[in-house]
Amino acid sequence: MPLLRSDEFKHAALAAALAAAVLAAALSPRMASATLGEPEVTVQNDVARAHATIKFSQDRTNYRVHEITLPSGTSMREFVAPSGVVFAVTWTGPTHPDLRQALGQYFQPLLSAPRAKFADRRHLQIQQGDLVVQVGGHMRALSGRAYLLSVVPSGVDIGDLH
């Protein structure tokens, strides 16, 4: 009789792969841009530190968005509430950004969050209190988003943030 059922093995393997990806992103020298839950000024500070470029900044009805291109080719968008706080960060590209920088004080809760059952091996969603992190994709085509439920401005549909 096998030690783990097929479903349990897949879940354990995915959890191990995610932990390795988060650890690699945290230890990598790449820098992200704005920090989740921090003031908008972190966008400019981190762009300079990462040698990234701001592709555009745009005011929307209930928030402001900054798109930044990292040296790795990954595009990040930071969504800023009218209060001036970064309420969401999204990314797409060949690599994950430095999640320790992008999530700031929310990085540790991500590491300690219980892993949910997954629909498949390429997608992950974690909710730990106010923090929601969704990651998907495959090698060289990765995407994700992290947001704070309590800071999302009223009238903003999270599904529209990408």
Side-chain angles (χ1 to χ4, degrees), residues 10-111:
K10 287 178 183 177
H11 180 69
L14 183 56
L18 173 66
V22 169
L23 182 62
L27 297 176
S28 71
R30 287 174 267 117
M31 290 290 184
S33 40
T35 302
L36 191 64
E38 297 284 326
E40 186 173 13
V41 71
T42 61
V43 174
Q44 293 297 331
N45 294 344
D46 293 328
V47 164
R49 208 166 71 203
H51 304 290
T53 56
I54 295 180
K55 190 171 181 180
F56 69 81
S57 295
Q58 185 178 61
D59 286 330
R60 304 272 172 94
T61 303
N62 296 331
Y63 59 90
R64 185 173 17 269
V65 62
H66 301 280
E67 183 168 323
I68 295 168
T69 303
L70 301 174
S72 66
T74 295
S75 292
M76 287 194 64
R77 288 186 176 192
E78 296 82 33
F79 299 87
V80 181
S83 65
V85 173
V86 177
F87 70 89
V89 179
T90 66
W91 62 91
T92 184
T95 63
H96 287 294
D98 178 350
L99 294 177
R100 182 178 301 276
Q101 174 64 33
L103 300 181
Q105 66 180 322
Y106 299 97
F107 180 73
Q108 194 59 42
L110 171 67
L111 292 179

Side-chain angles (χ1 to χ4, degrees), residues 2-22:
L3 294 176
L4 292 175
R5 293 186 327 217
S6 177
D7 291 356
E8 292 171 333
F9 179 75
K10 287 178 183 177
H11 180 69
L14 183 56
L18 173 66
V22 169

